[in-house]
Amino acid sequence: MARFTLPRDLYHGKGALEALKSFDGKRAMICVGGGSMKKFGFLDRAIEYLKEAGMEVEIFEGIEPDPSVETVMKGAEAMLKFEPDWIVAMGGGSPIDAAKAMWIKYEYPDITFEEMCKVFGIPALRKKARFCAISSTSGTATEVTAFSIITDYQKGIKYPIADFEITPDVAIVDPDLAETMPKKLVAHTGMDAITHAIEAYVSTANCDYTDPLALHAIKMIQSDLVDSYNGDMAKRDSMHNAQCLAGMAFSNALLGIVHSMAHKTGAAFADHGAHIIHGAANAMYLPKVIAFNAKDETAAKRYGEIADFINLGGETLDEKITNFIAFLRKMNDDLNIPHCIGKYGPDSYPCDQGFVPEEVFLERLHDIAVNALGDACTGSNPRQPSVEEMEKLLKCCYYDTEVDF
């Protein structure tokens, strides 16, 4: 038996934020990030709508990109004091992910972070509060997913929390919020979205309910992402829907080792100047992982189906996969994303010498490979690598060399 879970309600289209007026409750805590929601007036509108619904409202703000365990604990403490019956998370993936983890700790104050990270092991929520997610970026789709990514900076590792319990009750997908994204964020979130859809389609947990969502999302992203990056706001609006469809697919079909590698490299080199931004990591690793997974007959066939669906051409299956990889690499070029870690600069743009020195990468390679294999996303990858193969794959992602194993 399999399960397919989405939010109970999804409000979408321009002005969808107004759905907050219809919420029934006494107290709402809004969780937000670094200020863009305040700057563009969306936070004030959310507060106004919730008050119009008859609620007392409190704000927990300042959630950082790649939210930390410490931030989660502070937010949960604030919730325990305020006792909201609605948690409303708005912004990019970071504040929504953080709020999901806070929600768990709010409902179960004695739970440890390690217990929260047990895959599909969270006890039943909604004893104290329901959850609404309002996305401002077009990539993570955390507004419709059963996942949250929290960073333990002491270990330099991002941990995925995975459980259908943290699927939001309500998602608000209002393209007005996405139109405020800076150009670089459009690129990174867009490549995160296409990675979600592709990994969901080839995942060992794919099914008839997830496949159409994944394929249509890929087709929309092919059509819309680069134009959105270049300032076409109609395409920006469409991308907000595309990333949400990709999220619906992967939340139920799960992901693969592109995400495992991105999770375990993202914070691994923070002491050398910068994080590897999640969407950029996915963009760099995706072509390499496709080449690796395509050695599996079933995965190769499904990559070929994607290539056919988006009309990339090719007579043989090998040609179709080659064209698919070339299409993704060109998209990286169009979005000014480097092809490998060795060329990844502190500002995320391509450069001659990236911020991760070769000797540091090689010194940490084994531990990263082991951690990636232990990531929650690895189990549904169509081809299970050994530690040695994961090390080789990560090297290909550092040097941009061919995957021939």
Side-chain angles (χ1 to χ4, degrees):
M1 180 178 70
R3 179 174 173 177
F4 185 87
T5 300
L6 296 176
R8 165 65 177 80
D9 292 298
L10 191 154
Y11 297 95
H12 59 96
K14 285 183 171 293
L17 188 64
E18 197 169 338
L20 292 171
K21 287 182 183 180
S22 66
F23 284 23
D24 180 27
K26 295 179 180 179
R27 287 179 296 278
M29 177 169 279
I30 301 178
C31 301
V32 292
S36 65
M37 292 297 94
K38 183 184 289 186
K39 175 183 175 184
F40 294 107
F42 295 114
L43 177 58
D44 286 341
R45 282 166 57 189
I47 294 169
E48 179 186 326
Y49 292 147
L50 288 165
K51 286 184 175 179
E52 200 171 323
M55 290 194 231
E56 183 184 348
V57 181
E58 188 168 296
I59 312 300
F60 184 87
E61 57 187 330
I63 297 170
E64 73 275 34
D66 302 306
S68 65
V69 177
E70 289 75 18
T71 295
V72 167
M73 299 307 166
K74 287 177 187 174
E77 187 177 333
M79 289 176 186
L80 285 163
K81 289 178 182 175
F82 182 61
E83 297 185 338
D85 46 20
W86 273 103
I87 297 166
V88 178
M90 65 186 304
S94 294
I96 299 174
D97 278 4
K100 285 180 176 180
M102 293 170 191
W103 183 24
I104 302 168
K105 185 73 173 173
Y106 168 51
E107 299 234 358
Y108 293 95
D110 294 332
I111 197 169
T112 65
F113 181 67
E114 289 72 23
E115 289 169 337
M116 290 162 63
C117 292
K118 183 180 177 183
V119 178
F120 294 99
I122 294 170
L125 299 178
R126 297 166 182 81
K127 311 288 187 186
K128 295 180 180 179
R130 286 177 287 171
F131 193 98
C132 171
I134 307 166
S135 56
S136 67
T137 60
S138 301
T140 67
T142 191
E143 73 274 7
V144 294
T145 74
F147 299 95
S148 165
I149 307 299
I150 304 298
T151 302
D152 184 329
Y153 285 93
Q154 292 186 339
K155 295 180 180 178
I157 295 175
K158 293 184 178 183
Y159 289 96
I161 300 172
D163 198 291
F164 287 119
E165 285 296 321
I166 61 171
T167 303
D169 298 284
V170 178
I172 295 177
V173 185
D174 187 332
D176 286 342
L177 281 69
E179 290 183 6
T180 66
M181 283 192 295
K183 194 170 184 178
K184 185 165 71 172
L185 189 58
V186 172
H188 294 156
T189 56
M191 290 308 294
D192 192 18
I194 199 168
T195 304
H196 290 156
I198 292 167
E199 290 210 289
Y201 193 73
V202 301
S203 161
T204 57
N206 75 77
C207 69
D208 291 339
Y209 296 92
T210 59
D211 284 352
L213 294 165
L215 286 173
H216 190 59
I218 293 165
K219 195 173 190 71
M220 289 179 73
I221 296 167
Q222 177 195 34
S223 169
D224 298 337
L225 176 53
V226 174
D227 288 340
S228 170
Y229 176 75
N230 290 322
D232 184 327
M233 287 302 161
K235 299 284 192 177
R236 183 80 54 88
D237 294 354
S238 181
M239 272 298 302
H240 210 41
N241 288 335
Q243 64 87 29
C244 189
L245 295 173
M248 293 178 186
F250 93 78
S251 185
N252 292 278
L254 307 180
L255 292 165
I257 59 172
V258 178
H259 272 77
S260 302
M261 294 157 64
H263 292 155
K264 293 339 184 204
T265 53
F269 308 105
D271 56 333
H272 283 268
H275 274 63
I276 301 178
I277 296 170
H278 180 71
N282 284 339
M284 293 188 294
Y285 308 162
L286 180 58
K288 304 303 183 189
V289 170
I290 290 173
F292 175 79
N293 283 343
K295 305 294 192 294
D296 175 86
E297 185 178 346
T298 301
K301 181 184 175 187
R302 292 184 73 80
Y303 288 132
E305 289 169 0
I306 296 173
D308 286 341
F309 190 75
I310 59 175
N311 300 308
L312 295 181
E315 294 297 321
T316 67
L317 184 55
D318 284 347
E319 287 176 359
K320 292 174 183 179
I321 294 169
T322 297
N323 291 349
F324 188 29
I325 290 171
F327 157 73
L328 293 168
R329 288 179 65 90
K330 182 180 185 304
M331 189 171 278
N332 285 350
D333 289 335
D334 291 342
L335 299 172
N336 207 18
I337 295 173
H339 290 296
C340 62
I341 299 170
K343 302 294 184 183
Y344 183 95
D347 58 0
S348 85
Y349 292 121
C351 64
D352 289 335
Q353 177 57 57
F355 73 83
V356 182
E358 181 181 22
E359 64 274 14
V360 173
F361 171 78
L362 293 173
E363 176 187 304
R364 301 181 186 180
L365 175 61
H366 177 75
D367 287 347
I368 293 170
V370 170
N371 288 333
L373 285 174
D375 188 88
C377 295
T378 299
S380 48
N381 194 70
R383 186 180 171 200
Q384 290 297 304
S386 63
V387 175
E388 182 184 5
E389 287 170 332
M390 180 60 80
E391 289 182 4
K392 289 169 70 175
L393 190 53
L394 285 161
K395 282 185 178 180
C396 291
C397 292
Y398 185 88
Y399 298 109
D400 191 21
T401 49
E402 292 295 318
V403 177
D404 58 0
F405 52 94

